Amino acid sequence: MKTRVTRAFSSVAALTAAGLVLTACGSSGDGGSEQTGPASFEGRGPITYVAAKDTTGTVQPVIDRWNKLHPDEKVTFIQLPTDADSQRQQMIQNAETKSDAYTVLSLDVVWTSEFAAHRWIDRLPEKEFPLQKMLKPVMETAKYRDGLYAVPASSDGGMLYYRSDLLKKAGVAGPPKTWAELKDACAKVRKLPEGKGMSCYAGQFQKYEGLTVNFAEAVHSAGGVVTDANGTPDVDTPAARKGLDFLTGSFRDGTIAKEAITYQEEDSRQAFQSGRLIFLRNWPYVYSLAQKSKVAGKFEVAPLPGLNGPGASSLGGHNLALSSFAKNKATALDFMKFFTSEQIAKHFLQDASLAPPYARLYDDPALVKQYPYLPVLKQSVLRAVPRPRVVQYGDVTSAIQREAYAALNGGKSSAQALTDLQKDLQKVMGR
Ligand code: GLC
């Protein structure tokens, strides 16, 4: 691996020696501002990499590898809280004070437009990254207008983790494709002595970005939309209501564990790993961690279920972006190439079961043999629905979180929450 990384780096070094000065330009529209004029990627020296707390333990060793090869251009890993909203807040605070403390940012795929429009991140040179090898919907998340402002590092698609051992024992033929089948399977498993006291299902329903993800998945899995094909809010519909009703009804009838109203990804992972859940909606990173837990060998993954057939995940993931206010941008660009390279994506897949942006890794027979969840993951990512791609994403997600939470808590009916949400979104998005 060391030699491969070194080789990857000799080409990067050659590029840098040739003097990489880039021109950024863009066009304006929808309230965002454009980035024009030359952005130069100059300066070499220490930088920082800022991302969510690494629950998989695989990031620092990769950075160590870089640091060994680049003693004068060391990367310090700054870990932010695990929840997306706190990460966004800290990154924005840093940008608003024009601080150079953060160099390379691991941006949630939903923040690209907001960060680019505010000029908190630099436009990047497309030809320097192997974008054509990446899954198209994943690559699109890194763009704002026509420009590239980030580079996909890992994708994310929601999957249904299920206790295959218990389903089998209860005589359930396979994973549920619909919500009705899911409830049915739980009823059967709960009749087993081992299934007694287990909760049926959990996702992430605390009031944070994960709730936006889970809400959108329920709406899309019932045939509704949050915004239509033109990006116009269209959430006050019977189909969207069926989606939200699935969540509210499931909380009421005990299909969803009561505690799940406080769950983020990690809480729900712990619940599944400790054997308290039959079904869990979560991201691919859970796969490798759960394989090392008490439920190792007792679970499998399937596509998310929906109202009348398979459901649709929200498209998640993280892209690397370069803070406009950072120093040592030549080093930063090299590090971004390294960290988003196919070899590193493969490493993160093998070590932490993260979804790679690179298409061919999903079809690699050796990898599929080793990781049987890959075909399900690929399907999940390719069929995933992006969350609204707007500059005002912070306001959009706050509105969704507020209204979805009010419905789940019983404070508002689903119908009222969706009517209010539609109005809020129209106001925030100006359409
Ligand atoms: C994961 C996804 C990200 C999403 C977040 C929500 O980190 O990759 O896109 O916003 O979960 O909690």
Side-chain angles (χ1 to χ4, degrees), residues 35 95 103 105 107 111-124 142 149-150 320-325 329:
Q35 288 204 7
T103 315
L105 308 174
L107 284 194
W111 304 334
T112 314
S113 302
E114 182 180 27
F115 277 64
H118 285 94
R119 303 186 189 205
W120 294 330
I121 52 177
D122 282 342
R123 186 167 178 176
L124 300 171
Y149 285 88
L320 297 200
L322 176 53
S323 162
S324 306
F325 314 106
K329 290 187 178 179

Side-chain angles (χ1 to χ4, degrees), residues 267-288:
D267 314 291
S268 59
R269 173 173 76 84
Q270 299 294 355
F272 186 72
Q273 287 188 178
S274 66
R276 297 204 300 277
L277 285 176
I278 302 167
F279 294 104
L280 165 72
R281 177 260 170 239
N282 215 326
W283 305 108
Y285 84 97
V286 166
Y287 193 94
S288 69

Side-chain angles (χ1 to χ4, degrees), residues 82-85 87 108-111 154-156 204 208-211 213 265 281 283 315-318 387 393:
T82 45
D83 76 290
D85 304 64
Q87 293 156 29
D108 195 310
V109 290
V110 281
W111 304 334
S154 61
S155 184
D156 249 347
Q204 298 76 40
Y208 80 116
E209 187 61 34
L211 179 56
V213 165
E265 282 81 0
R281 177 260 170 239
W283 305 108
L315 182 60
H318 289 86
R387 282 160 278 171
Y393 187 77

